[in-house]
Amino acid sequence: MKDKESVEVIINDLEQNPNCIHGPTILFLSKKGKKYFSCSAVRDKSCFYLEYEKFERYKNERLQSKHNFKKETIEDLRKLNLSERIFCATCGEFIKSIQSHEFHSYKLIDNDLFLQQPSLFLPQLNNDKVNAQYFFDNNTLEFFKHIFNNMKLKKIICMGTPRLHDFIRTQNCNAQSILLDIDERFQAFYPEEFICYNMLNNYFINGNVDEARLFDFIKEDTSLDSLSHHCLIMDPPFAARTELLCNTIKEVARKYFIIHKKILPIFVIYPYFNENHVKKVMPEMEMLEYQVTYMNHYAFNENYKGRKEGSPIRIFTNIDQRHIKYPSLPNYRFCKFCHRFVALNNLHCRICKICPSKNGATYHHCNRCIKCVKPNYVHCEECDRCVQKTEHECKTYQIHQECWYCFEKGHVEKYCKFMKKHQRSNSNGFCRICKDKRHNLITCPSKNIFRKAIC
C-alpha cells in the first residue's frame, strides 16, 4: 500500500484550484517535489490530473457538472400502480416497461415503506477508487439511535451515510436528518432532504442553492438550553486524506458556531489503526471502542470470522466520552476508573491508568517501553520498542517507522540524532526526556519544551 504521508496535501483556497465535475481539485506535493492537481473524489488519474506548471493555461477553466438528476420524485413514483413500480438496477432508474430492459436486472417495489429506503434496493457502487458504498448494519444503526435519544440530538447531518438517513426517517428516531452524498440517485426519493455534495472539498455540486438549504437546516433550533441538538456524522472513504476531511468538518463546525455559539457534536467513522492520522489534524477527537459493522462489507460485518477481535472500524468524536452511554451490549463494559465504556476484554492498567486496548484485545504492560502493548508484541533490544513476535527484521522495521520524538520517518528513538546528541537514546524503563518511570516519551509533559530547545 502506498504510504499516505509520501504525498503532501496543500490546502489553501480551494476555489482557486482548477475544477473537475466533483468540484475544486486538490493540490498535491510528491516526495520528489512534484506538484500536481488531482480530483478529490477519484483516487487515480481517470477524472482529473494536471501538472502544476501547466496550471496557468487552464486557470480560467471551470468544467460544468455532468450530474443529470432524474426528474421523477418520490411523489411521482407513489402515483404509479404497484405493478408499475419497476426499478432497473442496471440503469439505476424506475421504468414503466421492461420491454427495453428485458436482459437487465430489475426489481418490483410494491411497498411504500421500502420506497422510502432506497439504500435497501439501489445497486451499491463498488469501485473503491471512485465511490464504493458500504451501509451500516442494524446493530450500528440501533447504536446511533440510542446515542441520539440519550443525548437529545434532534437534527442529524448525514454526510456519506445514506443508510443511516433512511433509518432515521423511517424508524421513529425522534430526529430529522439531511443527507449529503455524492451519489445523485438519492435525489429522486427525497429531494427536500438530499444535497449532492463532495465531502473531500466541501463542494456543493448544485451550487449556492444547496449550500443555503444545508444552513437553513442548521439554523432550525428552537431550544433555549446550552446543549447542541444538531450533530454531524461522516462516513468517509477510508483511503481519504484526513487533512481534507478535517478542512470540511472545521468549515461546517465554524458556520454552526457562528449561528448557535455552540460546539457542533461530530462523529467520524474510521479504522482504529488510522487514529494517529485523525488526531494529527483533529486532536480534539477521541475514539469510541464500539465496533462499527456494515451490511455489505465482506470483512467488516458481524459474522466475519477472519478477525479475532472483530471489526476494526471505530467512531471518533469530539464529545466527552463521560457523556456517551452505550446500550446494554454483551461485549462492552463501563470502566469506573476511565469513566467511559470500553471493550469487555480491554482491562484497566493501573500503571498507565487507562484502558489501553485499541483493537479490543487484552494488552500487557511493557516496563521497558512504559506502556501497554498488544498481546502478540515482545520487546526488541535492538529497536528498543515492542514489536510483533514473528516476521520482525530490525532494519526493515526501523525504515518504515516514525520517530516518536522528532516525527521524522526512517528511524526509531534509539537512533534519533537529537536524542543521541543529548545522551538520551536509551530508555532503560525511564522516560528519555525527564527520566520519570511513570510515563514514556510519547506522553511526557515536558516533550514539546525539550524538543523546541534542542531541535
Side-chain angles (χ1 to χ4, degrees):
M1 180 181 290
K2 189 174 180 179
D3 184 6
K4 287 184 180 182
E5 298 303 317
S6 65
V7 179
E8 180 182 349
V9 174
I10 302 175
I11 303 177
N12 294 318
D13 184 1
L14 295 182
E15 293 301 320
Q16 300 303 314
N17 294 354
N19 275 24
C20 68
I21 64 171
H22 303 105
T25 56
I26 306 300
L27 179 60
F28 294 93
L29 175 64
S30 72
K31 198 171 183 179
K32 296 181 180 180
K34 182 179 179 180
K35 286 185 178 181
Y36 59 92
F37 293 97
S38 187
C39 175
S40 61
V42 180
R43 292 181 289 281
D44 59 23
K45 299 179 182 180
S46 61
C47 178
F48 187 95
Y49 179 84
L50 177 67
E51 294 178 1
Y52 184 76
E53 291 74 17
K54 299 177 181 179
F55 177 41
E56 289 298 323
R57 192 185 312 168
Y58 295 90
K59 200 164 187 178
N60 297 321
E61 181 176 332
R62 288 292 184 268
L63 300 181
Q64 298 300 313
S65 171
K66 295 179 183 177
H67 294 275
N68 297 314
F69 294 115
K70 306 296 179 188
K71 299 299 182 183
E72 302 88 354
T73 65
I74 195 167
E75 286 77 17
D76 299 324
L77 298 173
R78 279 178 177 155
K79 293 175 184 177
L80 296 174
N81 295 325
L82 294 182
S83 60
E84 294 179 318
R85 294 180 185 177
I86 305 170
F87 183 80
C88 178
T90 306
C91 300
E93 62 181 341
F94 279 88
I95 57 177
K96 292 185 178 180
S97 170
I98 64 172
Q99 187 172 359
S100 58
H101 301 259
E102 122 182 66
F103 299 108
H104 293 181
S105 174
Y106 52 84
K107 182 180 182 68
L108 180 64
I109 311 299
D110 57 359
N111 185 298
D112 277 347
L113 182 61
F114 204 54
L115 193 61
Q116 293 177 44
Q117 302 184 72
S119 58
L120 291 178
F121 63 83
L122 284 175
Q124 292 145 2
L125 306 179
N126 57 11
N127 186 336
D128 284 333
K129 290 186 177 180
V130 182
N131 188 9
Q133 291 177 320
Y134 300 109
F135 298 148
F136 298 142
D137 66 9
N138 285 335
N139 291 335
T140 299
L141 295 173
E142 290 292 344
F143 178 83
F144 274 120
K145 180 180 179 179
H146 179 87
I147 296 297
F148 298 156
N149 291 335
N150 190 262
M151 300 193 68
K152 299 180 180 179
L153 297 171
K154 302 295 184 184
K155 309 279 284 187
I156 317 299
I157 304 170
C158 293
M159 198 172 284
T161 59
R163 183 73 198 102
L164 178 62
H165 175 68
D166 287 357
F167 182 81
I168 291 171
R169 64 197 302 271
T170 59
Q171 300 299 319
N172 299 318
C173 292
N174 298 317
Q176 289 179 285
S177 63
I178 189 168
L179 174 62
L180 281 69
D181 199 279
I182 205 166
D183 185 356
E184 73 273 15
R185 295 177 300 169
F186 293 103
Q187 174 82 6
F189 299 94
Y190 23 70
E192 301 304 318
E193 301 169 15
F194 174 79
I195 293 174
C196 199
Y197 178 79
N198 183 355
M199 70 173 74
L200 295 172
N201 57 6
N202 190 33
Y203 181 68
F204 295 84
I205 292 175
N206 267 0
N208 295 335
V209 174
D210 275 352
E211 185 174 10
R213 285 177 55 218
L214 172 61
F215 292 108
D216 284 343
F217 181 84
I218 289 177
K219 288 176 185 177
E220 297 172 4
D221 187 355
T222 58
S223 62
L224 300 177
D225 55 39
S226 60
L227 299 175
S228 296
H229 295 283
H230 290 75
C231 78
L232 167 64
I233 299 182
M234 174 189 281
D235 189 9
F238 296 148
R241 296 294 295 244
T242 50
E243 303 96 320
L244 300 178
L245 300 173
C246 176
N247 190 58
T248 292
I249 290 170
K250 286 185 175 179
E251 183 60 21
V252 175
R254 182 185 69 82
K255 292 185 178 180
Y256 180 84
F257 184 81
I258 291 173
I259 295 170
H260 295 294
K261 299 297 184 288
K262 300 175 184 178
I263 303 298
L264 176 65
I266 296 165
F267 300 93
V268 181
I269 315 300
Y270 242 93
Y272 75 80
F273 44 78
N274 279 1
E275 182 181 19
N276 289 339
H277 292 293
V278 174
K279 293 186 72 66
K280 189 173 183 178
V281 295
M282 295 179 283
E284 70 280 9
M285 304 294 276
E286 295 294 336
M287 187 180 79
L288 303 183
E289 295 200 26
Y290 181 79
Q291 296 185 3
V292 174
T293 45
Y294 296 90
M295 59 186 284
N296 63 319
H297 195 289
Y298 78 98
F300 304 155
N301 66 71
E302 185 183 18
N303 299 318
Y304 182 68
K305 304 301 181 184
R307 289 180 177 272
K308 182 180 178 182
E309 308 303 335
S311 170
I313 312 304
R314 301 290 186 270
I315 302 169
F316 291 83
T317 182
N318 61 345
I319 301 173
D320 189 331
Q321 293 198 44
R322 291 175 296 179
H323 302 312
I324 298 179
K325 294 180 172 58
Y326 285 26
S328 179
L329 296 170
N331 296 325
Y332 302 93
R333 64 178 182 84
F334 183 78
C335 176
K336 64 181 180 180
F337 302 106
C338 296
H339 304 290
R340 68 185 182 95
F341 283 86
V342 298
L344 190 62
N345 294 326
N346 186 5
L347 303 184
H348 189 85
C349 176
R350 296 186 181 275
I351 301 174
C352 296
K353 297 183 179 179
I354 58 170
C355 292
S357 178
K358 302 296 183 182
N359 65 357
T362 302
Y363 282 21
H364 65 89
H365 189 84
C366 174
N367 291 322
R368 292 290 303 277
C369 290
I370 325 175
K371 71 168 190 171
C372 289
V373 297
K374 292 180 179 180
N376 62 328
Y377 276 40
V378 294
H379 196 86
C380 173
E381 297 295 335
E382 174 64 22
C383 298
D384 201 15
R385 275 193 187 184
C386 281
V387 297
Q388 293 186 45
K389 291 179 183 178
T390 57
E391 299 180 359
H392 173 69
E393 204 283 316
C394 293
K395 288 185 179 179
T396 303
Y397 171 80
Q398 293 173 21
I399 288 172
H400 291 90
Q401 296 307 301
E402 183 181 89
C403 176
W404 292 339
Y405 182 71
C406 70
F407 303 122
E408 289 184 7
K409 193 169 183 179
H411 65 269
V412 292
E413 304 73 49
K414 183 177 180 179
Y415 299 103
C416 179
K417 61 183 178 182
F418 297 113
M419 302 304 282
K420 276 190 171 184
K421 181 178 178 182
H422 292 267
Q423 299 180 346
R424 297 172 188 262
S425 57
N426 293 318
S427 63
N428 295 321
F430 295 88
C431 173
R432 285 185 170 91
I433 293 177
C434 67
K435 301 300 181 182
D436 194 320
K437 64 179 180 179
R438 293 172 296 179
H439 60 252
N440 61 16
L441 169 66
I442 304 173
T443 56
C444 179
S446 304
K447 176 181 177 179
N448 291 335
I449 298 173
F450 182 76
R451 183 174 182 271
K452 187 176 180 181
I454 70 170
C455 289

